[in-house]
Amino acid sequence: MTPRTNPVAILALILAAIGGAPALIFGHVAMRQIKETGERGLLIARISTVLGYIWLVVWGIVLYSLLTNGQ
């Protein structure tokens, strides 16, 4: 029987797909769980983590732009 895919990794991917920076937190949690349990989904967790960092930068730029009023 093949191991199941880690549900936290799937949640992280969903968050990353909708533009959520919290995907990086859930991605890191999923990677730790996968290493401990041997579940599937390590690539999903890594991709989600990278996308989470990208979204964090994007949202930081948007926030900076809004706070400085584009000046």
Side-chain angles (χ1 to χ4, degrees):
M1 188 165 127
T2 60
R4 71 182 186 143
T5 303
N6 183 282
V8 179
I10 295 169
L11 175 62
L13 185 60
I14 292 168
L15 289 171
I18 61 173
L24 69 95
I25 296 169
F26 285 96
H28 281 290
V29 169
M31 285 190 286
R32 186 180 68 239
Q33 287 180 354
I34 290 166
K35 288 179 184 177
E36 292 174 0
T37 64
E39 293 174 313
R40 295 170 47 198
L42 186 59
L43 182 61
I44 295 170
R46 286 181 179 164
I47 291 170
S48 301
T49 303
V50 169
L51 289 174
Y53 279 112
I54 291 170
W55 279 116
L56 182 65
V57 170
V58 167
W59 286 115
I61 291 169
V62 168
L63 184 61
Y64 176 78
S65 177
L66 290 173
L67 290 175
T68 59
N69 292 325
Q71 297 176 1

